[in-house]
Amino acid sequence: KAGVTQTPRYLIKTRGQQVTLSCSPISGHRSVSWYQQTPGQGLQFLFEYFSETQRNKGNFPGRFSGRQFSNSRSEMNVSTLELGDSALYLCASSLEGVGFSGNTIYFGEGSWLTVV
Amino acid sequence: AQSVTQPDIHITVSEGASLELRCNYSYGATPYLFWYVQSPGQGLQLLLKYFSGDTLVQGIKGFEAEFKRSQSSFNLRKPSVHWSDAAEYFCAVGASDKLIFGTGTRLQVFP
């Protein structure tokens, strides 16, 4: 069974540009979440999608957005990149989401974004 | 507000020694608790989880954790550490369709 797949693994962008990251969840999983990991702030929740609907959102500016497709694949977009957006972006998938007993949350390897 | 505290930023142990990583949580209801491990440059791998039932949870790689409601703790243990266990360990609580993570504990293992 394939795990959570994130692309690209590494990318470098310039301030002011935008970036799109992709996540393919485990087959059958309908919940996809995104997290940002930085040395200073640690692991922070960005948003969660379930059946193409955003169900929960963290405290990030509107430059951070996401979507989920009918096949459960998800993308996140960051517009007008800032130096502080440099981070590891992790995607997580589960059958129905964290709030449901028995759901295991599986993470991908992450996308390393460097903003210069 | 929900939160997770991992009081130890960095722990160093000798190979073969026992290990305990501390985790305290703040959450109003019955928590869903997780331990993840992250090797350098990698994503998060689930070690174990607690949802309900037996408070002593067994995980992969010989790890176990004990849920103590009275102490709001979910400490991770391993009886004998291997050099390959060197990594960063994160405790997390599941709350409102998201995971809230602690700041992590970096484990260093000496031969």
Side-chain angles (χ1 to χ4, degrees):
Chain A
K1 195 173 189 182
V4 181
T5 304
Q6 292 188 245
T7 57
R9 288 293 319 278
Y10 306 92
L11 64 165
I12 300 173
K13 291 287 187 177
T14 304
R15 269 184 304 173
Q17 286 186 316
Q18 74 163 14
V19 66
T20 299
L21 308 178
S22 179
C23 173
S24 293
I26 292 171
S27 178
H29 285 193
R30 294 191 293 167
S31 169
V32 174
S33 302
W34 290 88
Y35 292 80
Q36 181 197 63
Q37 185 177 24
T38 60
Q41 300 299 316
L43 283 152
Q44 292 189 290
F45 171 76
L46 280 157
F47 26 65
E48 188 244 1
Y49 287 87
F50 180 80
S51 292
E52 302 180 67
T53 300
Q54 187 181 89
R55 201 162 55 174
N56 201 352
K57 189 178 189 303
N59 290 328
F60 279 82
R63 300 184 297 106
F64 291 81
S65 63
R67 59 178 175 169
Q68 186 180 34
F69 302 95
S70 57
N71 61 358
S72 292
R73 190 177 70 86
S74 177
E75 288 180 348
M76 68 162 283
N77 183 277
V78 188
S79 62
T80 319
L81 283 166
E82 301 176 358
L83 295 179
D85 297 332
S86 295
L88 176 64
Y89 290 89
L90 292 164
C91 172
S93 85
S94 67
L95 281 170
E96 295 180 321
V98 171
F100 294 86
S101 179
N103 267 224
T104 297
I105 317 300
Y106 298 92
F107 282 83
E109 295 292 300
S111 292
W112 286 94
L113 171 64
T114 301
V115 182
V116 298
Chain B
Q2 304 105 348
S3 65
V4 176
T5 301
Q6 293 181 248
D8 305 304
I9 296 172
H10 187 202
I11 283 183
T12 301
V13 299
S14 297
E15 190 170 19
S18 64
L19 172 70
E20 182 169 28
L21 302 182
R22 296 183 291 166
C23 172
N24 291 96
Y25 67 90
S26 172
Y27 188 64
T30 300
Y32 299 142
L33 295 163
F34 306 80
W35 273 101
Y36 286 88
V37 61
Q38 185 178 38
S39 298
Q42 302 297 311
L44 299 172
Q45 181 182 24
L46 179 71
L47 287 175
L48 46 78
K49 62 183 181 182
Y50 171 79
F51 286 143
S52 64
D54 193 347
T55 56
L56 186 61
V57 181
Q58 301 298 320
I60 63 171
K61 304 184 179 186
F63 285 93
E64 66 176 28
E66 186 171 11
F67 170 60
K68 293 185 178 180
R69 184 187 300 275
S70 62
Q71 299 176 20
S72 297
S73 70
F74 188 57
N75 295 347
L76 182 71
R77 302 194 294 249
K78 186 169 185 178
S80 178
V81 171
H82 187 262
W83 63 266
S84 60
D85 293 324
E88 188 145 24
Y89 292 79
F90 293 93
C91 180
V93 63
S96 304
D97 295 320
K98 66 182 179 184
L99 292 173
I100 298 171
F101 286 90
T103 50
T105 298
R106 183 168 298 280
L107 174 66
Q108 193 170 8
V109 181
F110 280 114

